[in-house]
Amino acid sequence: MSLIESVGRLQKDDPTPLYLQLQKGLRNAIENRVVQADAAIPTERELSEEFDISRITVRKAVDGLVSEGLLSRRRGAGTFVTAPRVEKNFSRLTSFSEDMVSRGRRPHSAWVSKTEGAVTPEEAMSLGVSPGTSVYRFHRIRFADDLPMALEFSTVPGYCLASVDAVGASLYEALDQAGHLPVRALQRLRAVNFTAEQAEPLGVAAGDAGLFIERRGFLVDGRTAEFTQSYYRGDAYDLVAELNSR
């Protein structure tokens, strides 16, 4: 369904200003998912021609929806429907899949690679294992519904999984089935700007803001079960922590 089929023609004899009519129609189209989250809307010129109104009227209608947070402008790319932001509770140890399901989103992954090899010096320090230890490495793009949310790089010691193929949809589910689910974790985060290589699979522009999160998960006996580095879209992900005075 096109926008004009969804919105309908504007009523020029209606006392309601044309920009408010267009604004209402676009808002309804977004809420009814005629235009999907993170999809581009037609350009000002295209909307102007389609609805037979001036570009100034179109711009005023779009400006209002940008102010409401329903639309966002990306320099050099156009105007896009704003994807719902995901909140991650930073005080609870949960997997990406659990976070998405709890918020009514459908999690899934696009695998980039699954490999097995000897631990690198950086991994050995992060995992607290000896040189030469066998590890499994998992690199994937994480999605919420159809929106790419994060690039994820996980390294797991060989003693935690039966094989590199043990991980399907969820790393934590595989670790749980193997009896090696982390019970606590240390996380650190910092703001980053995406490189062109990172931005392309996430559907954002090079230089856009993101969140880098590094996590080490630990077993009951103190051994490290995972070392994960993730790059999250800054425009779609919020971190929330509950703080107490005691």
Side-chain angles (χ1 to χ4, degrees), residues 142-163:
R142 310 305 303 268
F143 290 80
D145 298 324
D146 295 319
L147 180 69
M149 292 288 291
L151 301 178
E152 185 178 272
F153 303 82
S154 297
T155 305
V156 176
Y159 54 72
C160 285
L161 293 170
S163 74

Side-chain angles (χ1 to χ4, degrees), residues 224-242:
T224 306
E226 66 151 338
F227 172 54
T228 295
Q229 295 178 312
S230 303
Y231 295 85
Y232 282 88
R233 289 176 55 151
D235 65 344
Y237 207 74
D238 290 330
L239 293 173
V240 179
E242 181 179 344

Side-chain angles (χ1 to χ4, degrees), residues 74-145:
R74 299 180 189 171
R75 184 175 300 176
T79 304
F80 293 76
V81 177
T82 304
R85 298 181 69 86
V86 171
E87 287 190 354
K88 162 65 177 175
N89 189 331
F90 213 31
S91 60
R92 293 187 62 241
L93 179 55
T94 54
S95 69
F96 176 89
S97 297
E98 290 172 322
D99 290 337
M100 297 305 111
V101 170
S102 70
R103 287 156 180 78
R105 309 289 289 274
R106 179 178 62 86
H108 63 101
S109 302
W111 284 102
V112 178
S113 63
K114 294 182 183 182
T115 60
E116 179 181 2
V119 69
T120 66
E122 180 191 7
E123 291 168 339
M125 291 186 63
S126 297
L127 293 170
V129 297
S130 303
T133 297
S134 177
V135 295
Y136 302 120
R137 300 184 183 94
F138 306 98
H139 175 26
R140 53 190 170 168
I141 306 168
R142 310 305 303 268
F143 290 80
D145 298 324

Side-chain angles (χ1 to χ4, degrees), residues 35-223:
V35 186
Q36 297 296 317
D38 210 43
I41 67 168
T43 65
E44 287 184 3
R45 179 181 60 79
E46 291 169 337
L47 288 172
S48 173
E49 293 175 355
E50 189 169 13
F51 290 98
D52 189 26
I53 54 178
S54 71
R55 292 181 64 169
I56 294 175
T57 300
V58 171
R59 188 174 302 121
K60 193 171 182 180
V62 171
D63 284 346
L65 295 176
V66 170
S67 298
E68 291 179 27
L70 290 177
L71 295 175
S72 61
R73 290 189 173 96
R74 299 180 189 171
R75 184 175 300 176
T79 304
F80 293 76
V81 177
T82 304
R85 298 181 69 86
V86 171
E87 287 190 354
K88 162 65 177 175
N89 189 331
F90 213 31
S91 60
R92 293 187 62 241
L93 179 55
T94 54
S95 69
F96 176 89
S97 297
E98 290 172 322
D99 290 337
M100 297 305 111
V101 170
S102 70
R103 287 156 180 78
R105 309 289 289 274
R106 179 178 62 86
H108 63 101
S109 302
W111 284 102
V112 178
S113 63
K114 294 182 183 182
T115 60
E116 179 181 2
V119 69
T120 66
E122 180 191 7
E123 291 168 339
M125 291 186 63
S126 297
L127 293 170
V129 297
S130 303
T133 297
S134 177
V135 295
Y136 302 120
R137 300 184 183 94
F138 306 98
H139 175 26
R140 53 190 170 168
I141 306 168
R142 310 305 303 268
F143 290 80
D145 298 324
D146 295 319
L147 180 69
M149 292 288 291
L151 301 178
E152 185 178 272
F153 303 82
S154 297
T155 305
V156 176
Y159 54 72
C160 285
L161 293 170
S163 74
V164 73
D165 295 319
V167 178
S170 170
L171 172 61
Y172 268 36
E173 183 177 309
L175 289 171
D176 191 17
Q177 292 175 351
H180 292 107
L181 183 66
V183 295
R184 68 180 183 90
L186 291 177
Q187 292 193 141
R188 66 174 63 198
L189 66 95
R190 67 173 182 267
V192 296
N193 294 106
F194 290 123
T195 65
E197 184 179 11
Q198 294 165 341
E200 193 276 329
L202 290 176
V204 298
D208 277 3
L211 289 171
F212 172 73
I213 302 177
E214 185 175 275
R215 174 161 71 183
R216 287 190 295 157
F218 300 94
L219 303 174
V220 174
D221 61 12
R223 291 183 298 167

